[in-house]
Amino acid sequence: MTSIGGAEMVDWNLAVATATRFVRPGPEISREEARAVVAELRRHAKASEEHVRSFTRMIPEGHEPEDTPVLVVDRAGWVRANVAGFRELLRPLLGKMQDRRGSGPGNAVLGAVGGKVTGVELGMLLSFLASRVLGQYETFAPATRELPGSSKGGGRLLLVAPNIVHVERELEVDPHDFRLWVALHEETHRTQFTGVPWLRDHLQGEIQSFLEETEVDPMTVLERLREAAQTFSGGSRPEGERGEDDGGHGLVEIVQTPAQREILGRLTAVMSLLEGHADFVMDGVGPDVVGSVAEIREKFQQRRARGASRLDLALRKLLGLDAKLRQYRDGEKFVRAVVDEVGMDGFNRVWTSPNTLPTKAEIAAPADWVARVHRKADS
């Protein structure tokens, strides 16, 4: 990344150091137990490939998609992988901000200080998330020796072992069933991206368009943050005039331009589809291979809904993680309704092209997607 006086807009190394310093310690576990957990997660990830492919029918028989590695990581490993992903995705935006800042000596000093402040802030955010994520299909981060990716330069499946052990203990469920259940969900995401070759580039293009629309003028950003603060405090509208969606947006969603809101709507629809599809597949495959799937599902849904504490709930709201939970729920309802109407092969038309992806409105009204994609195509 370009820099001014050697100072980047974000001190990425400081972000990693901060996150790994402040992340909560994992559950107590012996070295032998840890090795057994890692080995079992790898076995489950491999077994999940066939289960997911058979159920979804997304990958034609005899076709081998792009190979992507499975990495069983600790919390620090998850942090390093995600910092690499952030750095890659934000490169164009931060370069734009560097250019806007200028190259005077005073700006170089401000850049060095600002980069460290931002690095600490990012690190604190990641330290919060690092103890909560069970798994992740990482789509955009570049491959490194420490964190290998696919042969085409990206894509890897991360399973965060300490978090999986922590949650299975907290829920008091069968650990072997729970580990397979998690692997099924994450394997579905890997199948989505390896079975739909255009999906990665489409998402990356949408994200880059979103970032290109970012207003980098400091006064504009300050004004939008002020509006965001008013929204959270309830000061933007008189009492009694708020819509049902008010107060449900994360800070990231509120600080947007109109063009970004349009892009965000499309991204929200795609993420709802991907997350809902993974939940649908996990529940569809589960009864055949996970004996206690009903118990796991019920307890896990309760855990999702309640959060861990008042602080956790507040941070979830601020960061927009409540919207993430709605994506699971709304997306799963969409997938189930479409499959009930047109079958699995009919649903799989969603993966034909960007034009067949559901809109945000269609996620809430699956019959409209069926009418648009199926009836027009079949007429």
Side-chain angles (χ1 to χ4, degrees):
M1 182 180 299
T2 59
S3 61
I4 299 173
E8 293 187 354
M9 294 288 291
V10 180
D11 189 328
W12 301 105
N13 291 333
L14 184 58
V16 172
T18 301
T20 53
R21 178 183 177 187
F22 286 100
V23 70
R24 296 177 183 176
E28 292 186 9
I29 186 170
S30 70
R31 184 170 297 179
E32 292 73 19
E33 288 176 306
R35 280 198 290 261
V37 170
V38 170
E40 183 174 12
L41 286 172
R42 286 176 176 155
R43 290 196 304 271
H44 285 329
K46 183 63 179 175
S48 295
E49 284 187 39
E50 183 55 38
H51 295 314
V52 171
R53 292 182 188 184
S54 176
F55 183 82
T56 64
R57 300 200 290 274
M58 289 180 63
I59 298 176
E61 190 173 346
H63 174 71
E64 273 303 312
E66 177 185 356
D67 184 41
T68 55
V70 176
L71 306 180
V72 181
V73 298
D74 59 10
R75 290 170 178 175
W78 181 86
V79 166
R80 288 192 294 271
N82 277 267
V83 166
F86 278 131
R87 187 172 189 170
E88 186 68 18
L89 276 178
L90 294 177
R91 188 182 300 272
L93 173 62
L94 295 183
K96 182 179 176 182
M97 294 179 73
Q98 292 275 20
D99 294 340
R100 179 67 66 89
R101 174 188 286 166
S103 57
N107 286 329
V109 173
L110 288 174
V113 174
K116 292 188 180 300
V117 171
T118 308
V120 170
E121 291 172 341
L122 177 59
M124 295 302 294
L125 169 62
L126 290 173
S127 72
F128 170 76
L129 296 174
S131 62
R132 287 158 174 77
V133 177
L134 301 182
Q136 173 184 355
Y137 184 76
E138 196 179 36
T139 314
F140 305 114
T144 65
R145 184 172 64 179
E146 183 183 25
L147 294 165
S150 72
S151 58
K152 296 183 179 179
R156 52 184 168 236
L157 181 62
L158 305 179
L159 295 171
V160 190
N163 295 350
I164 293 171
V165 172
H166 171 78
V167 174
E168 69 193 25
R169 290 178 178 179
E170 179 188 337
L171 298 181
E172 297 181 338
V173 294
D174 181 281
H176 308 294
D177 281 0
F178 185 75
R179 293 165 196 172
L180 177 56
W181 189 71
V182 172
L184 288 169
H185 182 100
E186 302 308 331
E187 177 57 37
T188 303
H189 287 316
R190 181 161 68 158
T191 299
Q192 290 163 348
F193 282 95
T194 57
V196 185
W198 54 264
L199 184 58
R200 179 184 184 274
D201 289 342
H202 172 71
L203 269 180
Q204 188 169 26
E206 290 279 58
I207 292 170
Q208 291 305 326
S209 295
F210 180 89
L211 294 176
E212 287 169 5
E213 289 290 334
T214 298
E215 296 173 345
V216 294
D217 176 68
M219 293 306 296
T220 301
V221 173
L222 184 63
E223 174 63 19
R224 291 194 176 277
L225 286 171
R226 185 188 65 80
E227 293 172 1
Q230 286 185 335
T231 300
F232 280 115
S233 66
S236 57
R237 295 191 201 171
E239 197 67 37
E241 293 185 13
R242 299 189 189 101
E244 62 179 2
D245 291 335
D246 282 9
H249 302 292
L251 184 60
V252 174
E253 183 173 344
I254 289 174
V255 185
Q256 305 301 336
T257 66
Q260 284 178 312
R261 291 192 186 100
E262 291 185 15
I263 300 169
L264 188 66
R266 296 195 297 269
L267 283 170
T268 298
V270 175
M271 297 311 298
S272 296
L273 170 68
L274 298 180
E275 297 293 0
H277 182 238
D279 267 11
F280 176 79
V281 172
M282 186 167 57
D283 287 348
V285 174
D288 292 330
V289 298
V290 181
S292 57
V293 64
E295 177 192 3
I296 291 173
R297 183 65 156 151
E298 180 181 0
K299 289 183 175 181
F300 195 75
Q301 289 285 63
Q302 291 172 355
R303 182 182 186 273
R304 270 183 183 171
R306 68 174 180 265
S309 65
R310 291 182 65 184
L311 175 61
D312 188 64
L313 289 170
L315 286 170
R316 273 175 28 181
K317 189 177 187 68
L318 179 64
L319 297 172
L321 299 183
D322 282 344
K324 173 83 165 175
L325 300 183
R326 289 196 298 274
Q327 288 173 4
Y328 286 106
R329 182 178 64 249
D330 297 344
E332 196 273 340
K333 288 180 180 177
F334 170 84
V335 176
R336 188 172 300 280
V338 172
V339 172
D340 287 346
E341 178 72 18
V342 296
M344 184 63 75
D345 291 332
F347 165 79
N348 281 340
R349 287 194 187 181
V350 78
W351 312 116
T352 303
S353 75
N355 292 330
T356 57
L357 291 171
T359 64
K360 189 176 179 180
E362 287 170 341
I363 288 288
D368 292 349
W369 180 86
V370 172
R372 177 172 69 86
V373 173
H374 278 267
R375 292 170 193 168
K376 286 185 178 179
D378 296 340
S379 61

